[in-house]
Amino acid sequence: MPAYKPLRYPSILKEIKDLQRAVELIRLGARLQMIEAIVDISHQRLLRLHHEVCDHGPSKGLLPFSSEWHILWRNRIHSSVWMSIYNKLTGDEDDIERMIRAHRMYEERCLCCGAPIVLSITRAWNMLSLFRSGTFDLKACAQCQGEFVVYRMDLNDGFVCGICNPPSRVGKTKLNTASRMNPNPDRR
């Protein structure tokens, strides 16, 4: 008689929940390494699932991990909007469901405003880990009182956000590109 092998999943319901969660994360563009950290599904099954959902393989390479990315002026605005949505969500759901809902709401907000979706779900997941580790905090802008992502250990007294005080270079790239494309707009 063969020896009894315990099942990988003690519960079929847990397996179904993990598969549903993986499909949602794949549709949101999550990297495979992130999904592997969240759900209890083998790498090979996730690869097959990714091919089924997207008709192509997953992105390759390292996960984006730079904390500096979230502090750049435009990225800080998007990270702060996402974090504000995440913090306002309440309910019986776990952190992953809350993260998925927050990201969907963030994408809807960007589409409504005509803004590009700058923050990927993988970067948002990374940002949450930076908040949990104590690297990041939210700080209110001294002018507009909106809460923005900042380094916890920085001196943030009198912090002014990038919306109230944008960097001087903002918009110059678009102006330079437009002027190079059409140097004499009045000439025909």
Side-chain angles (χ1 to χ4, degrees):
M1 187 161 136
Y4 172 74
K5 290 185 181 178
L7 294 173
R8 179 175 170 83
Y9 281 93
S11 166
I12 293 173
L13 293 176
K14 170 138 176 37
E15 181 180 10
I16 291 169
K17 185 176 180 179
D18 279 353
L19 285 169
Q20 287 173 333
R21 193 174 272 183
V23 168
E24 286 182 77
L25 290 167
I26 290 168
R27 286 189 177 138
L28 287 172
R31 299 284 293 272
L32 207 61
Q33 297 98 317
M34 174 190 156
I35 300 170
E36 283 180 277
I38 292 172
V39 298
D40 189 24
I41 300 175
S42 72
H43 181 77
Q44 292 304 316
R45 280 187 78 189
L46 279 176
L47 280 173
R48 287 196 335 252
L49 187 61
H50 197 286
H51 277 285
E52 275 187 50
V53 172
C54 296
D55 290 332
H56 60 80
S59 300
K60 293 185 172 33
L62 298 173
L63 288 177
F65 187 71
S66 173
S67 61
E68 290 291 323
W69 186 91
H70 297 280
I71 301 299
L72 299 173
W73 79 272
R74 183 182 71 164
N75 303 345
R76 182 189 305 238
I77 293 167
H78 282 264
S79 296
S80 301
V81 166
W82 191 94
M83 201 63 201
S84 175
I85 293 168
Y86 179 83
N87 285 337
K88 286 188 177 29
L89 291 176
T90 57
D92 296 338
E93 61 206 8
D94 62 5
D95 283 347
I96 304 305
E97 294 299 323
R98 196 166 142 207
M99 180 182 70
I100 290 169
R101 271 186 56 210
H103 199 73
R104 283 199 178 121
M105 292 174 78
Y106 161 75
E107 286 182 344
E108 288 172 12
R109 177 61 34 208
C110 287
L111 293 174
C112 287
C113 298
I117 298 169
V118 174
L119 186 70
S120 70
I121 187 123
T122 305
R123 285 200 188 270
W125 177 67
N126 173 279
M127 181 177 61
L128 280 176
S129 69
L130 292 169
F131 268 93
R132 289 186 185 119
S133 71
T135 304
F136 283 160
D137 202 3
L138 291 173
K139 176 75 174 168
C141 171
Q143 292 180 8
C144 69
Q145 301 307 311
E147 287 192 324
F148 290 87
V149 175
V150 295
Y151 281 116
R152 179 171 283 175
M153 297 299 180
D154 280 357
L155 300 173
N156 294 309
D157 291 339
F159 169 77
V160 178
C161 70
I163 298 172
C164 296
N165 186 21
S168 59
R169 69 186 180 281
V170 173
K172 289 187 178 181
T173 306
K174 288 181 182 177
L175 290 173
N176 289 341
T177 304
S179 66
R180 276 186 266 135
M181 300 286 266
N182 191 7
N184 296 322
D186 296 331
R187 203 184 230 181
R188 297 205 184 217

